Amino acid sequence: MEKTFWVKLKGWKKYTLGYIVLLMASHLVIWLFNQPLPPEQPTEQAVTVQVVKGDSISAERNIDIYYQDIYTGNKQEPPTLLLLPGGPEGPEVFDNLTTKLSDKYRLIIPHLPGYNNGKDHLHLPNYSFKTLAVYTNQLLEKLDLSNIHVLGYGLGGASAIYLSHDYPRKVASLSLVSSIGVQELELLGSYRLNHAVHGIQLTTVWVLHNAIPHFGLLNAIGINVSYARSHYQSDQRPLRAHLKAYKKPMLILHGKKDPLVPMVAAKEHHRIVPQSVLKRYNADHDLIETKADSVSLAIKEFVDDVENGRATIASNASEERIQEAQKKFSNMDFQKFKGVSLLIIMLIIVLATFVSEDLTCIGAGLLAARGLIGFWPATIACFIGIFLGDMGLYFVGRFMGRAAVRRAPFKWMISERDLDKSADWFKVRGPAIIIASRFLPGSRLPTYFSAGVIGAGFWMFSGYFLLAATIWTPMLVGISKLLGNELIRYFSLYHNYAIWVLLGTIFFLIMLVKVILPAFSYKGRRLLVSRYRRLTRWEYWSPFLLYAPVFCYVLYLGIKHRCLTLFTASNPALPDGGFVGESKVDILNQFCDTDVAAYQLINGDADFYEKERQAKLFMEENSLSFPVVLKPDVGERGRGVKVIRNDHAMQIYLDEAQGDKIIQEYIAGKEFGIFYYKIPGEQRGNIYSLTVKKLPKVTGNGQKTIEELILEDDRAVSMAKYHLRENEDHLYDVPEQGEEVTIVDLGTHARGAVFEEGSDLITDKLTEAMEQICKPVSGYYFGRFDIKAPSQEKLKNGEQLTVLEVNGVSSESTNIYDQRYSFWDAQQVLMKQWKLAFEIGKQNYLNGVDPTPTFTFLNRVFHAIKKG
């Protein structure tokens, strides 16, 4: 019985598909339940308003704003009290107050966008506090209300402040309950720091909503993207000026134990608004729920005073309060985080250490200097984060081993060469390295990871690590705290320039490390020259830049020929014409009747001993001695190709090898790249281009080291870092006068070989020899051969040619890397090459060869890139 599609799936593919199905089902359920709903209560109504886009109202789209309009008294025109919720709840947050106030005031409670999803208000351009004030004003315009009393709770307080400033005729008085306000006393105090925190919050909530199948649960508990966006899109910096400009009565109600908005914020609002009244409660942020009776009483007394002209306004505030309001805000006047807020800030510090340990310690020290957090809580939070992160590196190395270096994100930060060096050092001086790495930023990841890979004892590692971290963490936090006390005094004056000073400092430090300091040494100056050459000479640019115009041209050809993959029919003998992911052995097997350098496939699934046995048996059967060549069966641009000169080098290569490999006879002589093509139906093929490959050498003078000779050489310096790394075992050898030292042993441009135009070597005899090489292979019309010959004369005569490798449709005409070719010259050569590929593919198509279907081709390319 044929297996079902689900049964055929294995491992991660099955789980991934199942997860995708769940995620799609979750989004469908959420979409169905987010359709517009009828009013939840009899008192709930709706008005249609225009969507706010940027700082203006857009006529392109309308939304309904639901609101509760409640009055249980018997007056004809009672005072109107607008209650603005603070989120993530909607109007329900005022339930305990409405029954106590509705008999005396007409209560308008809007269901604003972003709070409890704001009904069906999803995917709006903006949810900021200022924007919500604009929506509120539209609501008041529709209801023809003005000169009303406004109460803002929590985040709603910020919208209330914006409303009173931007639409002063609408507001008779302002009440702030557990309200946020001035920027300096919100979270970390800095707009930019808070913006970064809210950005992380928004990203996290968005990922939770869109990448986790929660079926609406997150919405039900108040975690929604629009509410997170209201934080991220808001700017509290103008609120201080708005509060100072406010001249009408103000009531401030705040809990002394509020963990979200510290009491010091309410005190600051009270200070800068001299006519304001401040009432403190022995309560937390849920003031209107836990102290509903006293809060409602305070509101009634305040509104009555306003209505009867007894409330204080700015013009009749006391002189003492006015003078106090005119004082500048001191950046030192902070209140330490306590309780839940302290735990939150410590958690932020712990998470921040995963990004940068030292910067987090410095930041924590500055927070301690500003009085936001105590020295020891800051130090403990840093220590916990450092311990979790660095011990995590150790365990990743311990349980994932060397294979982890080949995977993201470790392969972005550490190479196998770094790992080898760290492991060697660790074996000799493990404890000293653990302690030293704590004081040397940049050395920790390879050190701790290496400790795990080589199986360093857990108790030994953790003991020395704890000792180093115990010394380093409080020292760095403490130094930052001491310096911060002085720096913060000046920061309050120059805070407008702080970000530019910081960016300038970072830029200067980068230039200092990357340019200025290296320029003081000969090696440093030559490496700067190397970097400049690689930036200014196109032959060293990324293939993505080189092939961007070519890619566009290939798309044009595909559209012109009405088949995007027509080029895959250019070589019927190769999968997809030999575009990507083809097996080198499978191709060479088709040319086995020609002069191909001896080769054999080594199974990548075999263990090390079996690989070594196969390699040695191959050498015995073919009477070969070292050197030999080892390379991947699937690969390009010389990746993983190595000339092996002894048993030890072979053992290292095979031990680290992943995937199938080829062992091949090393052929002495000159290497050439010959691009061959043949139009189907024609009697004879043609040579499109010929490249002479030269291995760069340096010549000794009996005085300079190989390192100095590489740096001095005008060509070799362009790839100096690569050459120095590949020759590190004998960098400090001093060659004799006239002695030539080859610094590259592979004829690959990406590995430093010099490519020169060799069109003058193309002869009828060479063309005939290439025709004889390709003749036994039915279905090969287009591609490049890597060939060796004893000399250029032998090559011209088509004699003693040995094929090393055969490439398909995606192979380059490598003569473009001759220094005489400009970037646009190279583009013309490559475009003409691809034009030929399409023409040959078209002829084969007319002869009955089907190109690879587009989606099949893209799927194969994707998997080939993923494996690579």
Side-chain angles (χ1 to χ4, degrees):
M1 182 177 179
E2 187 177 351
K3 292 183 178 180
T4 64
F5 173 74
W6 180 258
V7 174
K8 288 181 180 179
L9 288 176
K10 300 292 184 182
W12 67 270
K13 292 183 179 179
K14 178 182 291 188
Y15 295 116
T16 301
L17 181 60
Y19 190 84
I20 292 172
V21 171
L22 273 177
L23 190 61
M24 293 175 64
S26 173
H27 280 281
L28 177 62
V29 169
I30 294 169
W31 178 80
L32 291 173
F33 281 92
N34 269 329
Q35 299 306 304
L37 298 174
E40 296 174 355
Q41 302 183 32
T43 55
E44 198 164 86
Q45 305 172 52
V47 296
T48 301
V49 300
Q50 292 176 319
V51 167
V52 180
K53 190 174 184 180
D55 292 331
S56 60
I57 295 174
S58 171
E60 299 175 0
R61 179 182 168 195
N62 295 331
I63 61 169
D64 289 334
I65 295 287
Y66 285 83
Y67 67 97
Q68 294 181 30
D69 190 343
I70 307 172
Y71 179 58
T72 59
N74 51 22
K75 282 187 179 182
Q76 288 295 321
E77 293 185 4
T80 300
L81 181 58
L82 173 70
L83 305 179
L84 297 180
E89 307 91 350
E92 67 275 8
V93 74
F94 293 118
D95 286 349
N96 286 1
L97 285 183
T98 53
T99 57
K100 303 178 187 302
L101 297 175
S102 60
D103 62 333
K104 195 166 186 178
Y105 310 111
R106 178 188 177 187
L107 305 181
I108 304 295
I109 314 175
H111 206 149
L112 295 172
Y115 295 161
N116 199 16
N117 278 340
K119 291 294 187 180
D120 57 327
H121 302 146
L122 301 177
H123 313 301
L124 296 179
N126 200 295
Y127 295 88
S128 71
F129 305 147
K130 182 179 176 67
T131 300
L132 296 184
V134 179
Y135 281 120
T136 303
N137 179 62
Q138 290 191 73
L139 170 66
L140 297 178
E141 290 283 351
K142 292 282 186 177
L143 299 180
D144 193 25
L145 292 174
S146 62
N147 202 37
I148 63 174
H149 305 281
V150 179
L151 183 150
Y153 167 68
L155 304 184
S159 295
I161 296 170
Y162 270 113
L163 181 71
S164 67
H165 180 269
D166 296 343
Y167 311 99
R169 287 183 294 177
K170 293 287 195 297
V171 179
S173 72
L174 187 59
S175 298
L176 302 178
V177 181
S178 304
S179 172
I180 66 170
V182 294
Q183 177 67 71
E184 295 86 349
L185 294 165
E186 173 69 15
L187 197 57
L188 300 179
S190 163
Y191 168 76
R192 293 180 179 86
L193 289 176
N194 289 356
H195 195 61
V197 171
H198 293 317
I200 295 172
Q201 176 194 32
L202 175 58
T203 302
T204 303
V205 173
W206 188 92
V207 170
L208 288 173
H209 266 266
N210 292 280
I212 303 295
H214 59 91
F215 295 93
L217 176 63
L218 295 178
N219 292 332
I221 61 178
I223 301 176
N224 59 75
V225 175
S226 54
Y227 173 65
R229 281 179 61 192
S230 71
H231 283 278
Y232 182 72
Q233 294 176 327
S234 295
D235 189 349
Q236 290 178 235
R237 289 174 293 181
L239 294 183
R240 176 176 290 276
H242 292 353
L243 286 169
K244 284 188 172 184
Y246 180 74
K247 304 301 180 184
K248 297 177 182 179
M250 176 182 285
L251 173 67
I252 302 172
L253 308 178
H254 214 92
K256 298 177 184 178
K257 301 177 181 178
D258 193 329
L260 302 180
V261 184
M263 184 67 206
V264 69
K267 291 180 181 178
E268 178 66 7
H269 301 158
H270 177 56
R271 182 185 72 84
I272 61 178
V273 183
Q275 73 273 26
S276 64
V277 177
L278 172 62
K279 292 184 179 293
R280 302 174 178 87
Y281 294 84
N282 188 28
D284 57 17
H285 192 69
D286 296 330
L287 184 61
I288 57 177
E289 180 179 348
T290 58
K291 302 290 181 179
D293 290 334
S294 55
V295 168
S296 61
L297 180 61
I299 294 171
K300 287 178 181 179
E301 291 175 351
F302 173 69
V303 174
D304 285 350
D305 285 346
V306 176
E307 287 289 313
N308 295 307
R310 296 191 298 268
T312 304
I313 58 176
S315 60
N316 58 22
S318 70
E319 186 63 30
E320 181 182 354
R321 291 285 306 279
I322 293 174
Q323 291 179 359
E324 186 67 22
Q326 292 173 347
K327 294 180 180 178
K328 290 185 177 180
F329 172 71
S330 171
N331 238 4
M332 301 299 293
D333 295 336
F334 284 92
Q335 177 174 301
K336 287 184 179 180
F337 289 101
K338 297 178 182 178
V340 176
S341 59
L342 176 61
L343 294 177
I344 291 173
I345 198 68
M346 289 180 70
L347 178 60
I348 292 172
I349 292 173
V350 169
L351 296 175
T353 60
F354 298 160
V355 179
S356 174
E357 295 175 354
D358 291 343
L359 287 179
T360 300
C361 289
I362 293 171
L366 291 175
L367 291 177
R370 296 166 69 179
L372 280 170
I373 187 172
F375 170 75
W376 285 113
T379 302
I380 291 170
C382 289
F383 185 86
I384 292 172
I386 290 171
F387 177 80
L388 293 176
D390 291 349
M391 292 303 294
L393 288 175
Y394 170 82
F395 282 116
V396 168
R398 187 71 177 265
F399 293 108
M400 295 184 66
R402 185 175 290 270
V405 179
R406 304 184 185 104
R407 303 175 185 173
F410 292 100
K411 67 179 182 180
W412 306 332
M413 298 177 284
I414 181 173
S415 67
E416 290 196 58
R417 186 178 295 272
D418 293 332
L419 182 61
D420 291 335
K421 288 182 178 179
S422 296
D424 291 339
W425 293 338
F426 201 88
K427 289 176 181 177
V428 179
R429 296 181 178 178
I433 290 173
I434 294 173
I435 295 175
S437 65
R438 174 49 46 195
F439 298 86
L440 295 172
S443 65
R444 296 164 194 163
L445 189 152
T447 300
Y448 301 161
F449 184 76
S450 300
V453 170
I454 66 174
F458 170 76
W459 294 112
M460 183 276 291
F461 175 82
S462 58
Y464 285 106
F465 166 78
L466 287 172
L467 174 63
T470 303
I471 297 171
W472 174 252
T473 308
M475 183 178 72
L476 187 56
V477 174
I479 291 173
S480 302
K481 181 177 186 293
L482 291 173
L483 293 177
N485 283 323
E486 297 299 323
L487 293 175
I488 289 174
R489 300 181 193 277
Y490 298 99
F491 180 79
S492 60
L493 296 176
Y494 298 105
H495 66 279
N496 289 329
Y497 309 102
I499 185 63
W500 302 111
V501 172
L502 175 62
L503 292 175
T505 302
I506 293 173
F507 177 76
F508 173 75
L509 290 175
I510 292 173
M511 294 298 293
L512 180 68
V513 173
K514 297 287 187 179
V515 178
I516 299 174
L517 291 180
F520 282 95
S521 69
Y522 174 75
K523 180 179 179 180
R525 290 193 296 274
R526 295 302 290 172
L527 288 176
L528 288 175
V529 170
S530 175
R531 189 177 302 164
Y532 175 77
R533 294 269 182 86
R534 294 181 66 80
L535 287 173
T536 56
R537 294 186 179 181
W538 70 265
E539 62 178 301
Y540 300 112
W541 292 354
S542 165
F544 293 103
L545 293 176
L546 173 62
Y547 278 93
V550 177
F551 176 76
C552 296
Y553 183 69
V554 171
L555 285 181
Y556 160 74
L557 291 173
I559 295 170
K560 177 183 177 181
H561 289 277
R562 299 182 181 181
C563 179
L564 293 175
T565 59
L566 184 60
F567 58 85
T568 60
S570 61
N571 287 320
L574 308 182
D576 303 320
F579 184 82
V580 69
E582 67 275 12
S583 166
K584 293 180 178 14
V585 163
D586 289 347
I587 297 175
L588 290 176
N589 286 343
Q590 300 186 57
F591 289 84
C592 59
D593 293 336
T594 63
D595 291 324
V596 176
Y599 64 92
Q600 180 177 307
L601 181 70
I602 296 179
N603 188 348
D605 294 330
D607 60 26
F608 164 74
Y609 298 104
E610 175 59 20
K611 293 177 185 177
E612 186 180 30
R613 187 193 69 79
Q614 291 179 21
K616 289 185 175 180
L617 181 61
F618 165 79
M619 294 178 67
E620 290 177 10
E621 290 176 347
N622 291 276
S623 302
L624 298 177
S625 59
F626 290 108
V628 293
V629 177
L630 281 169
K631 56 186 176 182
D633 183 40
V634 177
E636 57 182 6
R637 302 184 73 84
R639 292 189 184 92
V641 182
K642 194 83 172 177
V643 177
I644 304 298
R645 302 189 182 280
N646 52 58
D647 279 323
H648 180 65
M650 178 184 286
Q651 290 169 357
I652 292 175
Y653 188 97
L654 295 176
D655 186 43
E656 298 176 355
Q658 299 290 319
D660 293 344
K661 301 296 177 184
I662 300 173
I663 183 169
Q664 190 171 41
E665 175 187 6
Y666 178 82
I667 304 295
K670 308 291 185 180
E671 186 171 348
F672 306 90
I674 300 177
F675 205 104
Y676 166 89
Y677 74 95
K678 182 177 183 179
I679 304 297
E682 294 188 358
Q683 293 298 315
R684 182 178 173 183
N686 300 276
I687 295 178
Y688 180 69
S689 68
L690 192 151
T691 305
V692 179
K693 301 182 179 182
K694 294 184 177 180
L695 303 181
K697 301 177 181 180
V698 293
T699 304
N701 60 6
Q703 297 178 353
K704 294 183 178 180
T705 64
I706 290 178
E707 179 186 69
E708 292 172 318
L709 293 172
I710 289 173
L711 294 172
E712 185 181 75
D713 188 86
D714 187 63
R715 177 74 183 182
V717 74
S718 298
M719 296 190 66
K721 283 191 174 181
Y722 172 77
H723 293 319
L724 295 177
R725 185 170 65 248
E726 290 299 305
N727 294 273
E728 63 181 353
D729 292 339
H730 53 275
L731 276 180
Y732 303 109
D733 294 349
V734 179
E736 297 294 334
Q737 178 73 37
E739 180 185 352
E740 289 190 338
V741 178
T742 302
I743 58 174
V744 172
D745 53 12
L746 292 173
T748 306
H749 181 266
R751 301 303 176 94
V754 178
F755 285 10
E756 294 180 355
E757 171 67 61
S759 57
D760 57 318
L761 302 178
I762 300 175
T763 63
D764 289 341
K765 291 182 179 180
L766 176 59
T767 304
E768 179 60 30
M770 292 302 301
E771 179 67 21
Q772 294 304 314
I773 289 174
C774 296
K775 191 172 184 179
V777 183
S778 175
Y780 185 86
Y781 296 94
F782 186 88
R784 190 189 73 243
F785 289 77
D786 293 332
I787 284 178
K788 277 199 172 182
S791 65
Q792 291 187 1
E793 286 302 317
K794 292 291 186 182
L795 179 79
K796 291 167 70 174
N797 293 327
E799 299 173 349
Q800 299 180 35
L801 307 184
T802 304
V803 175
L804 305 179
E805 196 168 296
V806 182
N807 302 279
V809 68
S810 62
S811 53
E812 288 178 318
S813 179
T814 51
N815 63 322
I816 61 173
Y817 293 112
D818 188 299
Q819 292 189 60
R820 291 171 291 181
Y821 280 79
S822 69
F823 178 79
W824 295 112
D825 291 336
Q827 295 299 311
Q828 291 178 5
V829 172
L830 293 173
M831 288 179 183
K832 183 179 178 183
Q833 170 190 324
W834 278 97
K835 184 178 180 181
L836 280 171
F838 271 88
E839 291 175 356
I840 293 171
K842 180 180 179 180
Q843 289 299 319
N844 282 330
Y845 173 69
L846 295 176
N847 293 334
V849 177
D850 291 327
T852 306
T854 301
F855 288 106
T856 303
F857 171 78
L858 292 176
N859 184 52
R860 288 177 183 170
V861 170
F862 172 78
H863 285 290
I865 294 173
K866 188 176 179 182
K867 288 180 180 179

